[in-house]
Amino acid sequence: MSAVTASARRRSRGAGDDDQSAPPQTRTVVVHAPVGGEAGSVELPGGIFDVAVNVPLIHQVVVAQLAAARQGTHSTLTRGEVRGGGRKPYRQKGTGRARQGSLRAPQFTGGGIVHGPKPRSYDQRTPKKMKVAALRGALSDRARNQRVHVVSSLLIGDTPSTKAALTALRTITDTRRVLVVAARNDELTWKSLRNVPAVHLLDPGQLNTYDVLVSDDVVFTRSALAAFLDRSQAPASRGRGVRPATAATDAPEVSGAQAPAGSDDDAEAEEEAK
């Protein structure tokens, strides 16, 4: 959080509120080739990579994400759960000591724990719109500082190679922590970089605010960037379509003056029965 917070504060001091109120601009970045050089260019939509950075929102989303990662299985024993201590240790009066009823009281060694942790869930409710806005703010901060890169591929051929992938990656950035976003079906990239401690691999659908912030640079493969943009720009279906007609709603209404067919015959049958 320190990097994005510091950069956001510097921008707010230097440019004021004009940068925050300016419309998002589409950025054009170079697509790097695995052997060096350029392999074209790609546009980063301003609605994702050039939005205003809301630091409190990002902080709230990151805290909720880290809290949800906690197992919450911690548990301590109270004085009622500790084994033993059923007998009164000594008589009530005449010893000169404070009265005690059990050696498993919290003040004794081996006794119970007062107000200790118990199994619980640390999950915090975070709406989906907040997560999306925080992720776009983090990506925008990285893009404004030229820390978002796109590569056509990290390998040439059909054989995984950690050395070759790292060599191609170091031609793009030389930072210590790198986040590589690769498609799930890109087996060459996954097999080549999955055991590198300084590289964190993610699927486009797993991209989140925390991993963007703890990484110095973000490297997208061309296919992963296309998949991420498709997911981000796809309209959310909220079920606003036309409700299907039912038998109850389609049936014509019958007024009180109109009787259903066959009502006269039913009345005559009732009179005969009487």
Side-chain angles (χ1 to χ4, degrees):
M1 286 300 296
S2 59
V4 66
T5 304
S7 60
R9 288 178 178 174
R10 284 196 298 268
R11 287 196 309 275
S12 61
R13 291 176 182 175
D17 297 334
D18 295 339
D19 293 343
Q20 301 294 331
S21 59
Q25 300 294 330
T26 301
R27 299 177 180 273
T28 302
V29 296
V30 175
V31 178
H32 299 273
V35 293
E38 300 179 3
S41 61
V42 67
E43 292 185 351
L44 303 180
I48 301 176
F49 293 92
D50 192 32
V51 300
V53 180
N54 190 340
V55 178
L57 172 64
I58 293 177
H59 177 267
Q60 181 178 350
V61 171
V62 170
V63 169
Q65 183 177 347
L66 295 178
R70 301 183 63 177
Q71 291 184 349
T73 56
H74 42 44
S75 181
T76 56
L77 300 179
T78 63
R79 61 180 299 171
E81 297 171 338
V82 179
R83 181 180 177 86
R87 179 177 61 87
K88 188 175 177 65
Y90 46 82
R91 64 179 186 270
Q92 182 82 350
K93 296 179 179 294
T95 63
R97 303 175 63 183
R99 55 192 177 186
Q100 302 293 339
S102 173
L103 287 176
R104 295 299 179 262
Q107 66 269 22
F108 289 110
T109 302
I113 304 299
V114 180
H115 304 302
K118 286 293 185 181
R120 52 165 293 192
S121 174
Y122 286 92
D123 292 345
Q124 300 179 15
R125 181 183 177 274
T126 307
K128 185 181 296 184
K129 289 185 177 180
M130 293 178 59
K131 297 179 181 178
V132 172
L135 176 58
R136 293 184 177 184
L139 290 174
S140 300
D141 179 81
R142 292 295 184 261
R144 291 191 184 102
N145 292 277
Q146 289 76 43
R147 293 186 175 183
V148 175
H149 313 277
V150 182
V151 62
S152 59
S153 176
L154 291 174
L155 293 168
I156 298 178
D158 299 333
T159 304
S161 174
T162 301
K163 182 178 180 179
L166 284 178
T167 301
L169 195 61
R170 292 311 175 192
T171 59
I172 302 173
T173 176
D174 56 353
T175 54
R176 188 176 65 175
R177 295 182 299 268
V178 180
L179 173 62
V180 177
V181 184
R184 178 61 64 180
N185 57 2
D186 189 0
E187 295 184 0
L188 290 178
T189 303
W190 282 86
K191 290 182 179 180
S192 300
L193 297 176
R194 60 187 176 184
N195 291 329
V196 180
V199 177
H200 186 49
L201 276 169
L202 281 181
D203 183 79
Q206 298 174 336
L207 193 60
N208 59 85
T209 306
Y210 176 76
D211 288 324
V212 172
L213 295 181
V214 298
S215 302
D216 298 323
D217 284 63
V218 181
V219 178
F220 286 90
T221 62
R222 191 196 293 263
S223 58
L225 179 62
F228 174 69
L229 294 180
D230 290 341
R231 292 175 57 92
S232 302
Q233 297 176 349
S237 59
R238 299 181 178 273
R240 294 181 180 177
V242 180
R243 185 180 63 180
T246 60
T249 56
D250 293 343
E253 296 183 357
V254 179
S255 60
Q258 296 178 352
S263 58
D264 296 339
D265 298 337
D266 296 338
E268 293 177 358
E270 292 180 358
E271 291 180 357
E272 292 179 358
K274 293 180 180 180

